[in-house]
């Protein structure tokens, strides 16, 4: 009886580890096929012969075909952090290769969830500024040395607004709209003050850090892999984000131009 209880507890821990790994990957922007493959490998290498795994952008289900055990996890927040996805993948490979045991894997996954370092805000702002200035050249097909610094400032302003507003509200539509509005205001004021020439090009570059490119790409990848539910859900999320950016910019042209 005691052995059966220990086996059941071990299986529950394995399922919890699978849920944790899947939640970390989904919450940080991974494709669903990669999530399910990683979870399945962890379960099989831990001794679960026939795991049943089903994932969505907001929920994870893990069960066993030969036992009445089921575990459910939820994903309440989604961001973009490739570092966490890479760490979970590396841990699953080390576990499959026998370099770490299950309990070390489980502890390491909890550490990834709690203590994965991120880039400081000032470096993120530099990245947003550089991306805005350079992508303005690519998408506008032309460049003005006077517009590039202003596009960088507008992109940084929009990114900062999205960063801080995201701490107070989980409504992505509001965050993107207000961030695009801030970007448009900076571009408008800069042109009016003679710091730039083309408000269209400046706004085009400034909103680039807000564009949901990863979500759209992941959505298409999921659809091609047959994950229709997650593909459609992420595609709709990306479309709504693009609409929110458009609404913010439209408000600038409606009331200030």
């Amino acid at each position: 009886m005691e052995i059966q209880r220990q086996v059941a507890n071990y299986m529950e821990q394995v399922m919890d580890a699978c849920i944790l790994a899947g939640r970390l990957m989904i919450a940080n922007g991974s494709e669903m096929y990669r999530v399910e493959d990683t979870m399945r490998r962890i379960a099989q290498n831990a001794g679960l012969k026939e795991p049943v795994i089903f994932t969505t952008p907001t929920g994870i289900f893990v069960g066993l075909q030969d036992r009445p055990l089921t575990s459910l996890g939820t994903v309440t927040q989604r961001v973009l952090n490739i570092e966490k996805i890479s760490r979970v993948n590396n841990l699953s490979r080390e576990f499959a290769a026998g370099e770490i045991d299950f309990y070390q894997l489980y502890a390491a996954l909890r550490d990834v969830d709690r203590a994965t370092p991120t880039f400081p805000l000032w470096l993120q702002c530099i990245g947003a500024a550089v991306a805005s200035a350079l992508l303005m050249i690519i998408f506008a097909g032309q460049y003005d040395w006077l517009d590039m610094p202003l596009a960088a400032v507008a992109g940084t302003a929009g990114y900062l607004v999205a960063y801080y507003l995201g701490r107070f509200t989980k409504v992505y539509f509001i965050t993107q709209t207000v961030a695009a509005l801030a970007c448009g205001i900076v571009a408008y004021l800069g042109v009016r003050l003679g710091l730039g020439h083309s408000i269209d090009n400046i706004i085009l570059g400034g909103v680039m850090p807000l564009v949901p490119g990863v979500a759209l790409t992941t959505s298409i990848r999921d659809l091609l892999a047959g994950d229709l539910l997650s593909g459609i859900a992420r595609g709709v999320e990306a479309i709504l984000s693009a609409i929110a950016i458009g609404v913010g910019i439209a408000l600038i042209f409606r009331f200030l131009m």
Side-chain angles (χ1 to χ4, degrees):
M1 196 68 175
E2 181 64 25
I3 295 177
Q4 292 180 348
R5 186 179 298 109
Q6 291 178 355
V7 171
N9 290 336
Y10 175 75
M11 289 184 174
E12 290 178 358
Q13 287 183 325
V14 172
M15 294 169 68
D16 289 342
C18 292
I19 291 289
L20 177 56
R23 179 174 62 80
L24 285 170
M25 298 183 73
I26 294 175
N28 291 282
S30 179
E31 309 95 321
M32 287 301 174
Y33 86 92
R34 189 186 304 275
V35 174
E36 294 183 359
D37 181 68
T38 301
M39 294 173 63
R40 186 171 290 106
R41 289 177 183 274
I42 290 175
Q44 291 175 343
N45 289 316
L48 304 187
K49 300 300 182 182
E50 298 180 341
V52 179
I53 298 172
F54 179 71
T55 58
T56 71
T58 56
I60 308 170
F61 305 85
V62 179
L64 300 176
Q65 291 186 356
D66 57 345
R67 289 176 179 269
L69 290 176
T70 304
S71 184
L72 168 66
T74 58
V75 182
T76 58
Q77 185 177 3
R78 291 184 298 278
V79 295
L80 179 62
N81 192 330
I82 306 299
E83 176 70 19
K84 287 189 176 184
I85 298 174
S86 175
R87 290 195 174 195
V88 173
N89 277 332
N90 290 337
L91 287 171
S92 68
R93 293 190 183 98
E94 291 175 5
F95 180 52
E99 298 176 6
I100 58 176
D101 60 27
F102 169 73
Y103 297 102
Q104 291 174 319
L105 170 70
Y106 198 8
L109 287 173
R110 290 196 294 267
D111 289 338
V112 170
D113 190 22
R114 294 191 304 263
T116 299
T118 59
F119 291 109
L121 181 58
W122 64 268
L123 189 56
Q124 297 179 42
C125 291
I126 291 176
V130 172
S132 298
L134 297 183
L135 290 175
M136 183 197 75
I137 300 174
I138 295 175
F139 288 102
Q142 57 184 343
Y143 65 92
D144 188 315
W145 292 110
L146 200 61
D147 288 343
M148 290 177 63
L150 188 54
V153 173
T156 304
Y159 184 84
L160 283 172
V161 170
Y163 178 85
Y164 285 109
L165 191 59
R167 295 184 171 185
F168 299 100
T169 178
K170 302 301 181 183
V171 183
Y172 202 54
F173 190 90
I174 295 177
T175 302
Q176 295 293 86
T177 301
V178 177
L181 186 64
C183 176
I185 290 175
V186 171
Y188 171 78
L189 293 177
V191 172
R192 288 295 300 269
L193 294 174
L195 302 177
H197 293 150
S198 174
I199 188 172
D200 294 337
N201 291 345
I202 294 168
I203 290 177
L204 182 61
V207 299
M208 283 299 112
L210 305 176
V211 173
V214 174
L216 186 59
T217 303
T218 304
S219 169
I220 295 173
R221 180 64 182 83
D222 286 342
L223 289 172
L224 293 176
D227 296 316
L228 301 181
L229 181 61
S230 61
I232 293 174
R234 284 178 164 173
V236 171
E237 183 181 19
I239 292 172
L240 288 176
S241 179
I243 292 174
I245 295 172
V247 169
I249 299 304
L251 292 175
I252 295 297
F253 283 96
R254 174 63 179 84
F255 294 105
L256 296 181
M257 300 298 291

